[in-house]
Amino acid sequence: MSGRRRALAACLLATLICGCGRRGPRVEMVEGVVVLDGKPVEAATVFFSPVTAAGEATGLPAAGRTGPDGSFRLNAGGGATPGAGTAVGDYVVTVIKQESRPVPPPDLNAPPTALPEPEIRDLLPAVYKLATTSPLRATVKPGTNTYRFELDSKPRGSPKGDR
Amino acid sequence: MKRSPAFTLVELLATIAIIALLVGLLLPAVQSAREAARRARCANNIKQLGLAVLGYESSNGFLPPQGAAWEFCSLANEGLATLDVRYAEVSYLLWLMPYVEQQAIYDRGFAQELAGGVLWNGAFAEQPAILLCGSEINQGPGFRGAGCTNYRCNRGDVAAPPGRRSRGPFNEGSVRDGSGSWAPAPVQSAHIRDGLSSTVMLGESMICTPATYDTLPAGVGKLGAIDPSTAPATCWALVAGNRYSVPLSRPDFLPGSMWGRSWYDTYTSFYTNAAPNTPRCVRDYDWAAYINPVSSYHPGGAMVAMCDGSVRFVTNEIDAGDPTQPQVNNAGSTANAWSYTGASIRGVWGAMGSIRGREVVSAE
């Protein structure tokens, strides 16, 4: 009697557990701070781009946005939980902060033309913008990873005057 | 003790449990069969629209213009000109209406535009069934009562501002001059050098949830600075990690309330610069969406129509390059990124999106 009941309970439990499989890649928590000349940078986007080593890509591309204190947490794509970080691997880190100036509304008395694009301005040195020029590197390991990225408004070896 | 001629409680419970187990096994199968049926219908819609584009191309020699504008001189003289009328940016879908047996909507729509009527009522409040996918949860009505659409045209693997040549089969914002010719000129099938069967023409996209855009506080979920070079992963950084964080597979909860919510209008295109079902983000003052992938409620991916009229299912896992990299032009700078020519930096998906990237895409 109790054996039958136990078997029944086991069946139900097994059914429940079967429905609870979680998909998505395994990620490690990645957080950090971005500072420019020692001051925290707000509303910058931090990108982790996987480094392809010997033709084999490790890691997941990920991005994070900094808050008022310059801190960020990474979100990886590919079905990973948002805000949970990214996969173990080696990364090039790029940081971008931009602002745009909206264009004035079109003159209705002129013939129709394509609307002009607003002007986009970089607020951080351009070396940090592309993976090919960024000096920032990171290695994500199992567990919580904390980084501090110190940007310099006059980076060494910077290609001609950045804003 | 005399046994009563009936089932015991335990026997009854066991029977019920077994029945529940069987139903539990059956229900997902029924649900997926229903989804498969909706998907089949959806595939039929996008196929018909793809054939309609090819029909238009046969008659006119070029693919329909997207978000095209032209001048209404008479209205300007009568002082009736408004932004909506002067820049009547109609979608490629309006030109296709005669090819999907909706001549009446086409006639009424253009008559209404020429008369300077508001664009979201009359013919534009009509909801042609072919423009909706059964799996969509926001079935309309759309922006100010307009009809909605799930089917959008491909503007290539590099985001391009309106009025610029795109890398896909559709250019946004062509303007018709006095001589009746369009600039930039709509694409002809001869221009699709990567091959008709390996270039994406149309794709599915979810309809934005109404009001998500307006209810977000400033700076959250919207991109103030977004230009054609913006890396697709910028959007991931923005939508998660705050209280509006959403699963990445549900771009419908992201801002961009015009997208898909008016089938006649210019918000009916996508880019192949980001993988299917990744978030889309818009600029906060004009709804420009340069991170604007295909998306659907079908599990695992979205459907696309190729330029030869065939339909394919593209999975979320397709190689879409490194989304953390901004688009650069041929000189390696992010300025005027839309002017890039050459092989796509967005992997197989980007190669499928460009019409003359000269990439090799194996047709599996």
Side-chain angles (χ1 to χ4, degrees):
Chain A
M1 187 68 151
S2 78
R4 209 191 298 173
R5 215 177 279 172
R6 211 174 293 154
L8 204 70
C11 273
L12 286 174
L13 202 66
T15 318
L16 284 176
I17 289 168
C18 284
C20 296
R22 205 192 144 276
R23 289 188 302 152
R26 181 179 165 76
V27 292
E28 310 300 334
M29 173 59 76
V30 179
E31 51 195 11
V33 182
V34 177
V35 291
L36 176 69
D37 302 331
K39 291 189 212 72
V41 185
E42 186 182 357
T45 310
V46 182
F47 297 104
F48 273 48
S49 312
V51 177
T52 313
E56 196 183 329
T58 59
L60 279 173
R65 186 94 158 170
T66 60
D69 58 349
S71 68
F72 68 91
R73 272 187 176 189
L74 279 196
N75 304 318
T81 314
T86 189
V88 168
D90 293 324
Y91 296 87
V92 179
V93 179
T94 52
V95 187
I96 296 179
K97 182 180 179 180
Q98 294 179 317
E99 71 168 11
S100 62
R101 202 167 49 82
V103 290
D107 176 9
L108 293 180
N109 293 318
T113 50
L115 296 176
E117 272 296 291
E119 191 185 301
I120 303 267
R121 207 159 68 85
D122 281 312
L123 301 179
L124 292 176
V127 276
Y128 301 114
K129 193 168 164 180
L130 297 176
T132 46
T133 56
S134 175
L136 308 173
R137 296 286 183 280
T139 303
V140 175
K141 297 189 178 82
T144 300
N145 296 261
T146 310
Y147 299 98
R148 184 180 167 90
F149 295 114
E150 310 237 5
L151 314 189
D152 192 343
S153 56
K154 299 266 182 298
R156 270 167 296 141
S158 143
K160 57 200 163 276
D162 301 301
R163 279 173 303 189
Chain B
M1 198 175 101
K2 190 175 171 285
R3 193 188 153 92
S4 64
F7 295 114
T8 66
L9 182 65
V10 169
E11 282 167 346
L12 193 70
L13 282 177
T15 314
I16 291 172
I18 289 165
I19 291 171
L21 200 71
L22 291 176
V23 170
L25 288 176
L26 190 69
L27 216 61
V30 171
Q31 289 298 340
S32 53
R34 285 161 59 97
E35 168 56 24
R38 286 194 292 259
R39 195 174 122 176
R41 207 171 148 196
C42 227
N44 186 48
N45 285 353
I46 199 168
K47 174 132 192 148
Q48 293 301 324
L49 289 171
L51 294 177
V53 169
L54 296 178
Y56 181 98
E57 204 268 346
S58 312
S59 309
N60 298 276
F62 50 82
L63 269 60
Q66 159 66 10
W70 64 95
E71 193 176 4
F72 298 112
C73 299
S74 58
L75 297 174
N77 294 340
E78 291 161 25
L80 288 172
T82 66
L83 186 68
D84 277 338
V85 173
R86 283 299 292 277
Y87 296 92
E89 297 163 325
V90 300
S91 78
Y92 76 103
L93 288 166
L94 188 55
W95 304 94
L96 294 186
M97 285 297 128
Y99 299 87
V100 290
E101 308 206 311
Q102 298 287 359
Q103 183 74 40
I105 291 181
Y106 179 85
D107 291 343
R108 276 170 57 208
F110 275 98
Q112 194 176 327
E113 289 238 341
L114 291 167
V118 284
L119 290 181
W120 46 83
N121 65 9
F124 306 115
E126 299 280 354
Q127 179 64 72
I130 193 172
L131 300 184
L132 281 185
C133 174
S135 304
E136 174 63 51
I137 60 168
N138 295 307
Q139 295 269 348
F143 184 68
R144 297 184 183 174
C148 294
T149 186
N150 281 111
Y151 303 107
R152 303 214 196 142
C153 63
N154 171 24
R155 283 167 64 194
D157 61 322
V158 177
R164 300 287 180 188
R165 251 211 140 105
S166 82
R167 277 168 57 89
F170 291 85
N171 295 315
E172 174 77 26
S174 292
V175 174
R176 188 153 66 181
D177 63 16
S179 69
S181 59
W182 294 103
V187 171
Q188 304 173 16
S189 43
H191 296 156
I192 303 173
R193 305 231 180 92
D194 287 349
L196 298 177
S197 62
S198 52
T199 303
V200 174
M201 178 206 274
L202 308 177
E204 278 189 290
S205 211
M206 292 170 173
I207 296 169
C208 284
T209 306
T212 43
Y213 180 88
D214 302 318
T215 52
L216 289 173
V220 176
K222 305 182 222 174
L223 279 174
I226 179 173
D227 77 345
S229 75
T230 307
T234 307
C235 199
W236 310 354
L238 210 62
V239 295
N242 60 46
R243 67 196 179 94
Y244 292 94
S245 77
V246 290
L248 297 182
S249 58
R250 299 295 293 272
D252 56 313
F253 293 132
L254 297 183
S257 62
M258 278 298 280
W259 288 87
R261 292 185 60 217
S262 49
W263 66 262
Y264 63 89
D265 206 345
T266 178
Y267 301 97
T268 44
S269 62
F270 67 89
Y271 292 112
T272 62
N273 56 359
N277 288 311
T278 53
R280 67 176 158 234
C281 278
V282 298
R283 197 150 64 191
D284 49 11
Y285 47 85
D286 65 354
W287 285 321
Y290 292 135
I291 305 166
N292 194 7
V294 296
S295 53
S296 82
Y297 289 93
H298 313 307
M303 259 171 312
V304 295
M306 309 304 280
C307 288
D308 65 348
S310 61
V311 173
R312 285 204 208 173
F313 190 76
V314 181
T315 61
N316 295 343
E317 288 75 33
I318 190 169
D319 168 25
D322 184 348
T324 63
Q325 290 309 297
Q327 181 67 45
V328 292
N329 62 21
N330 291 49
S333 155
T334 51
N336 297 336
W338 47 265
S339 64
Y340 175 75
T341 56
S344 176
I345 66 163
R346 303 298 180 198
V348 174
W349 180 224
M352 285 167 70
S354 63
I355 60 174
R356 43 180 166 249
R358 303 292 174 115
E359 308 92 348
V360 177
V361 178
S362 70
E364 20 48 282

